[in-house]
Structure formats: C-alpha cells, structure tokens
Amino acid sequence: MVTPGSVDGALRVVGSEAELTLKLRLVNEPAVLSAAFAALQKNACNEAEAQLVLAESQHVDALSIVRLRARHARRCGSLDEAKHLLRKAVQDGRAQGRLSDAVDDKHLLAFIQMTRDFDFEAARALLWGEEDDLSRCPECQLDAAYYKSIWAVETGRYKEALYQLEKVLRKSARLGLADRRRAAENQRMEVLATLGRTREAVAIANGLLTEAPHLEDPCAVVKLQTSAAWALTRGVGREDRVSQTLHSAHQAVERARAECPTGMVTALVNAAFIEVELGELPKAKALLAEAQKYLEKGDVRMTSWLQPLQVEVALRDDPAQLLRRVSPTVDGQVTSPEIGFRALSGRARALRRTAQLASARDAYTTAHEALDQWSALVPLGEGRETFFELHERWAAESVDFAVQLAETAAGGSSLGNSAAKAVAEEIEHNIGRAFYTLAQSEQVSLSSISDYRRGGSRSPANASKRVTRITTPPPGTVDLFYHPKLDGWVGVALSSEATSVIHIPSGPIHQVLANPTTLSVEAASLLLDPFADILKNAQRVRVPALGPLRNVPFEALPWNNTVLSDQIQVSYRFPALGKETGKCTQMPRAVGVFDPSQNLPGAERSTPAVRDAISGRGYEWVQLTGSEATREAVLAQLENPCTHIFHYDGHAAFLGRDGVEAALELWGGRLRVVDILGLQHVPKYVSLLGCETAKDDGMGLAHAFLAAGAGEVLAAIDVVDDTLSERVAAALYLPAAPGLIYST
C-alpha cells in the first residue's frame, strides 16, 4: 500500500493469470512543474521557459527540472542540449534510486538518436543494453518493448517491430493499461499498412475509431484519427473507403484546430494527401498552406513529408513548377525511402507530361532505384504480395512510358525487335522487383541504413540492379510478357523469327483475373489469340510465373480445340537478376544430395540409379549423403559455376508467412529461401524431391531457384512420401530427347 506523502512503497497488482509487485518512489510534483509541462504540450516554449525559471528560483526538485529542461530543449529547437540533459538525467536518476525516471529518459534519448540523428547503432545499444535496469524495474519493460518497436520500424525490421508490439499489447491488456494498448495498436496498424497487410490494418483502424469519442485527451484523439485515416488510404480496396477516410481525416483536423496544436501538421498533411487523391486541388493546397504555418523550425521529418505532398499538388497543377522544385536526385534531407521515391517519381512524371522524354528516361531510372531502396527495407515474408500492390500504379506508369518511348521511336510503324525487347525488359524489371529487392532486406546493415537516411548513400542494399537483358529465345520457343499500363494492358511475344506487341483493354482482362479458371475461353482470346501467328509453329512457350497473371493457368487455356499444354510445352519463366559469375573451366558437374537426415531409405536406394543415369551423360558426379550434406558443403557446390545439375532427395518444409522460412533440411542445418536468392550462381537444372518444394502460397523453394536464375526446376506441390520419391527418381533421368535433361 502506498500512502500520500510516503517516499517508498509497493503496489501489488493481482490478475487472473499473473501477479506483479511494483516498487514505487513518490515524488511530489509542484504546480510550477505541472504548468511547465502543460505549456510544452501546447508548444508554448516561452511560457514553459518562464515556468522553469520560476521553478529554479523556488529550489524545486533539481532532477525534475533537468528532465523538463531536456524536453523543453527537444521541443523548442536544441537537440544537442536535449541529449546532454537527458544523459545527465539518466545518471542522476540512477544515483537517486529513481530508476523508472532514468529508464524513461534513456528511452527518450534513444528516440532522438533514431528519429533525428539516425544513429541506429547508438539507439540499439541503449535499448538492448538495459537488461539489468529492466530486471530491477518491471514497470519499465512495457515501454522498453514499445521503443524497441519504434527502432525496428525506423530500420525496416518489421518482423521485430511486430514482435515487440505483440509484447506491449499482451502486457498492457493484462495490466488494464488502455492508453498503452491503444498506442501499441496504433503503431501496429501503421506497420501493417506499410507492409501492405491492408485488411488487418483497416480492421485495427476501425476498432480504434470506435474508441476515439470516449477519450479525454484531445491529442490522443487527433493522433488516433490521423493514423487511422492514413492506414485506410493504403493498399487495395482504398477506393471503397474514401468517404470514411476523408471523414476521419477532417475530424482530426477540426479537433487539432480546437484543442491540440501539436497534432496540427500531421492532421493537415494527411487530409491534404486524401484530397489530392480525390482530385480536390484547391482544398489540398489550402490544407498544405495551413500545415506550413504550423511547421516547427528544424522539423526535418515533417518537412520531408511535405515534399511528396507538394509534388503531387504541383504535378496536377503545374508540372513545370514541380521540375523547378524537385532535384534530379534524392535530397539529403529526405528522411524516408518512401518520401524519396514519391518525390523522384513525381519528377519523372512531370518531365513526361512536359514532353521532355530524353530527360524523363533518366528520371524514371532514378525513380526505379529509389523504389528499390524503399522495397529493400521491407522484409521478405511480411506482406510481400500485398506490399507490392502499393506499387502497381508506378509499375503501370513505367511500363506505359516504355511503350510510349518504343512507339515514338517507331514513328507510327510496327515495333521492331529491339523496341519489343525494351518493353519486355521493363515488364520483367517491374515483376522481378518483389523478389530481388526484398531478398536482400535482412542483410542490410544498420550503418548502411543510417548513412542512407542521412543522405549519404543511394542504396542501402545495392537493390537497384536491373534484371538480365532480354535475349532472343531459341528456335521453337516463344516468350510471352504481359503487364498493366495506364490505359489497359500491353502484351509482348518474342521468338527467333518474329515479335509482336499488342494492347489489351482493361475491362475484359480484369474480369479474367477475377475468375481465371471459369473464364478460360475469355482468357485465351485475350492472351493467346492475338499471338496466333507466332504460336502456330511453337514447340515451347514460356509465360510469366510472377506478376499480375501469376494465377492464370496458361497450360489449361483452350487452344485449337484442346488445351495449350497438349500441343505446346508450357513453362513458367522467372525474371533473372543479372549476376557476375565465374566461368566453368572444367568438366560440367552434377551434385546429388541424398537423405541428409538419414531416415529416408527410399532416397538411399535411389542413389545408384540417379548417379549412373547422370554420369552417363558426361557429367562429373559429386555426391553428398547424410552427414556430408552440410549447409556449407551444399552452398559451395551450388555456387560452383561448373555445377549444371542439382538433385536433392530429402526432407523439405514450406514454413512461415509467404514461405519465407521454407527450407531444404541438411545435416545440422537448413537451406532457406533467402540463402537461395542470395546465391551468385545456381545450376541450370534443379530437382527437388521433397515435400511442398513447389508450393506457391508465396515464394517457395522452387520459385526461389527460378528467381535466382535456374532454367528448369522439378519439384512437388504437395506432400510426397519416400516411396513415391524413389519411383520418380528412378525414372527421372532415363534417356531423353536431345537437349533435354529430364525424361518425358
């Protein structure tokens, strides 16, 4: 029990699942300090300073004054002084036994380091180096997890962010701390929206909005309404939420005008973005002008957020003015990869609208790089599919521009081979971005992110590599490419004898995408019939495995009174990333990995047949069985430029969201999707005789090998038993047609 006026005490909290005892030290807070704090909340810097001077003259608690002076310095423009005072407050707080105050000040210091200094290493050292403090201050653990989630968001570690926020939500719910729960839900909603997990974010937003009218703190209401409106504008289905979003955004603006000046800029900018989306330029410009009046001096973060809004307004109002405002490269003051992309893509569109096509070509390339940098900070497996729905409009824009360049160069004539290839390459790059940039995200160093956020580096993950240039297919093969553009779709067919580029109306193809199986006749008429002359002599057709048509079963589309795969071999093509690999100067080799777990007798029995069949075709045979099949040994063989065939017969599993944790089991380890995507070389032919190695609810193992550059992958879409794998292995490499590895 703690009584007024006591110095020490303990508060015992008993719940249905746990019991917690909090040690407390009460410090009476004089009215003058309360007045200073209230002034800071209103951004009244002079008033807060006057109250602090008065507190010092009254010899009020010195540590409390230092803590408030640190917050005054942060709010009113001197970050260096704020950091100095916070360090002093942490030291003095510990010395006086006020541990919760010391931890609170340390969290604020870390917040400044990561949001203003972009010193993520220093912030991490503070937040993850306080285990001793947290063990002696259980009540501090909830806030510690919350600030760790902020660090994770700032560095693109969204898995870590969601993990920390789940901890906050569980603890705050258990302790009945509604404000902390709402703050965590708000942060989680923003993370999910950023990741493109829009439906989850919208569900949280709607829940929070129902709580808003019952909150007493007007600034809490403004923040909640603003964040909810932001989440509602993201991703798929946003058109259906426009009225709800606009209402929430303007409610936040009105509440901020009346009772929460500190929330004005964010609320106004958010509302202006929505008005721009609706084409209400006068309203958007008025909101933007008002936001600039409230902008704090030195607030780099919000100044940066104003830039993309200014870009969108100018693009619609006066493209020439936009070109004078936005530089051709990312401004060093831009604090977010998303902001940099918005600005640079706006500049590219403005150059196009003013018919400066040569300059626009370079600007589109720069915007692509900015988008790659942004994408690289979103981990593979966290909403990968829906995250890239946020980029669909830009992909359509860039493909549309590629078509315009090709048609302009052709001067009204049919597009030639080189022009068709240029359009196909643009399609491949937009489709491939999802896999090649995200695959690198977990490898981005904190120093690279810090450097990039400070404007000192253009690419935190070297993510802007283009896909391999499109080459003419071998005789008898036709490559098909499809992609949305601004006024419909474009289709490209390439063969060694001819090329063709077609425009596809958007209405019918959207119906096909909604029902790709039941509307197979309509799909064939849109996607195959226009290329009938090129396809009539084809022996093989390669269609996109990724992108907007990934769910269309090309092999089952009607063709010449039967289905396509009955007449033409159909394979699914992954865009290959250009990689510099060594040349093989020795005999080509085949690598066989058998039963690393040593519990599959069928795999062991199939070994001689596979070895003899492949060796008989002129390949050097390398075999890794049981304990020989370590992760290091397998990776070394895969990266060897002489390895042309990789045969795996063992356990596999499709795990994690989007298959990010899918892996081949090895001796003492696993070969994961991310490992495969990071390989500088992969064999041309890959056989994966393991469970669900071709499962396509996300990336998957077969997809990873194809994305990394493999030519053909044979894999299982479902669970397979050892006996079936043995039978497949025995027949797999029987004598085949010339040029083919697998028997038919």
Side-chain angles (χ1 to χ4, degrees), residues 7-55:
V7 177
D8 294 299
L11 177 63
R12 190 179 182 191
V13 181
V14 180
S16 59
E17 299 181 3
E19 178 178 312
L20 180 65
T21 300
L22 305 180
K23 294 182 179 180
L24 303 177
R25 174 177 290 269
L26 297 186
V27 177
N28 293 327
E29 184 174 89
V32 65
L33 292 182
S34 298
F37 183 77
L40 281 179
Q41 292 296 99
K42 296 185 297 182
N43 271 2
C45 293
N46 292 336
E47 180 183 344
E49 173 63 23
Q51 293 294 336
L52 286 169
V53 170
L54 180 59

Side-chain angles (χ1 to χ4, degrees), residues 241-257:
R241 302 189 294 268
V242 168
S243 60
Q244 178 189 6
T245 302
L246 192 61
H247 178 70
S248 178
H250 280 289
Q251 272 190 325
V253 169
E254 293 305 317
R255 192 68 179 265
R257 282 194 183 118

Side-chain angles (χ1 to χ4, degrees), residues 80-97:
D80 288 339
E81 182 184 357
K83 288 185 289 186
H84 169 72
L85 291 171
L86 285 169
R87 291 187 179 99
K88 176 175 172 53
V90 171
Q91 182 178 357
D92 292 350
R94 283 203 179 105
Q96 296 180 29

